[in-house]
Amino acid sequence: MVRDSSAASGSGDGGPGDGPPGGLRRLHPLDWLAGVLLALGLLAVATGLLPSEQASEEMRRVGPLVVFLGTVIVMAELTGRAQVFDVVSAWVARAGRGRYPLLFGLCVLFASLTTITLNLDTTAVLLTPVMLALAARVGIAAVPLAMTTVWLANTASLLLPVSNLTNLLAADRVALSPSGLAAVMWLPQLASIAVTASCLWVFYWRRGRRGADRYAPPGPTVARDPVLLRICSVACAGFLLAILVADVPLWSASLTAMVVVVAAFAVRRRQELRLSLVPWRLLVLVPGMFLVVGTVDAHGLHGLLASALGSDNGFVGMLRSAAVGAGLSNVLNNLPAYLAGEAVIPVGNHEQLLALLVGVNVGSLVTPWASLATLLWFERCRWHGTRIDMGRFLGTGLVLAVTGTLAAVSALALVS
């Protein structure tokens, strides 16, 4: 069932954690979750449940990740406010020429590239409202576009360290640069996108599901500030080139790009620069999750997962690791699932570790809490008045999680 809000707008309607306007925003349940996790983690360190040496190691590892996460999301949010996503999405709709199959292919490409280059949270938080507003603007069904963004936010997040926080952790563990990770994961990434596109077409985009045979292409989007639009576009392109060609640290590249974008806004639209741009929830959630998972791992989870994952670095072991990662992600969340699984996989088992990565990225599609991106996506859909049938979401997500994970692990086995 679809209900498009007449108030739907582009990506400039608020930051990742913004709530409805008017009055003081109440804390979101995810804010409470983040705070509780951090409090529990600090309590574990204070009481000795988590040894201080292990806690220090966890924080040493999480520091650059937190800097990257905070700066890349601020950069992406301001890029959205500069209408970069609005301009591209309108171009995609015009390029589709009123034909759904062509529009479908272009939307898959657009969502995939956004996830790969800017990360899955950008796709969930910024691309979703742009696509929903575009649906209302040209009179097409919103749910197919919404499902395209949430599925590809997860399944298109295998290629680069920037694409997903779990990728950053895995690349660090196996000592792979961004180009090195791409050299290993390019075929699994193509496989997962291909399976996702097939499922999207069958379940949501084919005739009879999308609600019409043709649509009216929109006119071009006129940027409110063309100079700001160009600066933000160049900053994003420079960020991508820096991590792919120069192999500079991700946090350094994202920080530099963010500084350029913030400086441009400070000169041209200073009123847009507010503390609410900073993703405080994520910056609290990630360290807390590291500490809590480390504590649980030290008190029983390690042995249980070691038995479930085994130590087989061959194809069967890869499938087993991916299945455990996908299952645990849908029960808990993909980040703690990866952290717990990584801790028990032997250091030299790179293929088994990357298969776990596939499971937690591609397989985290069944439950709404399986990934943070999906939680954020549900929030944006609710805010824009688009209703998602939960039964259909769970059922189609299960099909894609199983087939997409199997295809990606098989592709990984071919290139390993």
Side-chain angles (χ1 to χ4, degrees):
M1 179 179 179
V2 182
R3 178 174 61 85
D4 288 323
S5 169
S6 61
S9 62
S11 57
D13 62 347
D18 286 355
L24 291 176
R25 182 175 66 87
R26 294 181 178 178
L27 285 178
H28 190 277
L30 287 176
D31 297 323
W32 286 105
L33 174 64
V36 168
L37 282 175
L38 182 59
L40 289 174
L42 294 175
L43 182 63
V45 176
T47 58
L49 285 174
L50 182 65
S52 58
E53 297 81 6
Q54 185 177 347
S56 297
E57 177 61 24
E58 296 288 357
M59 291 302 97
R60 181 204 63 79
R61 190 179 184 196
V62 81
L65 304 183
V66 169
V67 173
F68 160 75
L69 192 62
T71 54
V72 79
I73 288 181
V74 170
M75 177 189 72
E77 174 69 20
L78 289 174
T79 298
R81 295 186 181 207
Q83 294 182 279
V84 173
F85 298 115
D86 298 85
V87 169
V88 175
S89 64
W91 177 87
V92 165
R94 292 198 309 277
R97 302 175 184 175
R99 294 179 291 186
Y100 271 96
L102 182 55
L103 177 67
F104 168 71
L106 290 170
C107 285
V108 167
L109 180 62
F110 183 26
S112 298
L113 289 176
T114 301
T115 300
I116 289 169
T117 58
L118 289 176
N119 84 32
L120 74 170
D121 293 325
T122 296
T123 300
V125 173
L126 300 180
L127 186 57
T128 298
V130 169
M131 292 299 236
L132 294 178
L134 180 65
R137 180 179 174 186
V138 301
I140 63 179
V143 170
L145 287 169
M147 293 304 300
T148 300
T149 59
V150 71
W151 275 2
L152 286 167
N154 289 284
T155 63
S157 65
L158 287 173
L159 189 65
L160 297 174
V162 67
S163 309
N164 200 325
L165 183 56
T166 53
N167 296 10
L168 284 166
L169 299 169
D172 179 62
R173 167 72 179 265
V174 298
L176 285 175
S177 65
S179 57
L181 183 65
V184 174
M185 299 301 285
W186 69 271
L187 188 57
Q189 182 65 95
L190 286 178
S192 66
I193 291 176
V195 173
T196 303
S198 299
C199 289
L200 281 168
W201 182 263
V202 171
F203 293 134
Y204 293 100
W205 277 84
R206 64 183 170 86
R207 189 175 185 180
R209 293 289 184 189
R210 60 184 180 240
D213 290 329
R214 294 185 65 84
Y215 68 93
T221 297
V222 178
R224 295 189 297 271
D225 190 331
V227 174
L228 200 57
L229 175 73
R230 286 194 290 270
I231 292 174
C232 291
S233 299
V234 170
C236 288
F239 165 69
L240 182 61
L241 286 174
I243 63 173
L244 287 178
V245 178
D247 280 345
V248 300
L250 284 170
W251 68 267
S252 175
S254 62
L255 178 61
T256 302
M258 185 203 72
V259 169
V260 171
V261 171
V262 168
F265 268 84
V267 171
R268 304 190 67 84
R269 276 159 57 182
R270 183 182 295 272
Q271 70 277 10
E272 297 276 3
L273 298 178
R274 298 190 297 269
L275 283 176
S276 60
L277 288 169
V278 180
W280 301 108
R281 177 192 299 161
L282 294 180
L283 302 187
V284 172
L285 178 69
V286 173
M289 196 170 286
F290 267 72
L291 293 174
V292 169
V293 171
T295 303
V296 176
D297 185 60
H299 293 275
L301 182 61
H302 187 95
L304 183 62
L305 274 180
S307 176
L309 289 169
S311 58
D312 181 6
N313 201 37
F315 182 60
V316 174
M318 293 166 66
L319 287 175
R320 184 175 175 180
S321 295
V324 171
L328 195 58
S329 294
N330 286 291
V331 172
L332 299 175
N333 178 271
N334 66 341
L335 181 55
Y338 174 81
L339 289 171
E342 182 197 69
V344 303
I345 291 177
V347 174
N349 286 15
H350 291 180
E351 288 75 17
Q352 186 185 11
L353 182 74
L354 292 176
L356 173 70
L357 180 67
V358 169
V360 300
N361 285 12
V362 180
S364 57
L365 298 169
V366 184
T367 58
W369 56 83
S371 75
L372 182 60
T374 304
L375 282 171
L376 295 171
W377 173 82
F378 264 106
E379 187 178 327
R380 303 308 269 177
C381 287
R382 177 189 60 80
W383 177 247
H384 283 78
T386 298
R387 295 180 180 174
I388 307 298
D389 182 272
M390 188 55 64
R392 187 165 180 77
F393 178 85
L394 297 175
T396 56
L398 177 61
V399 173
L400 176 55
V402 173
T403 56
T405 299
L406 179 60
V409 173
S410 299
L412 178 63
L414 290 176
V415 297
S416 298

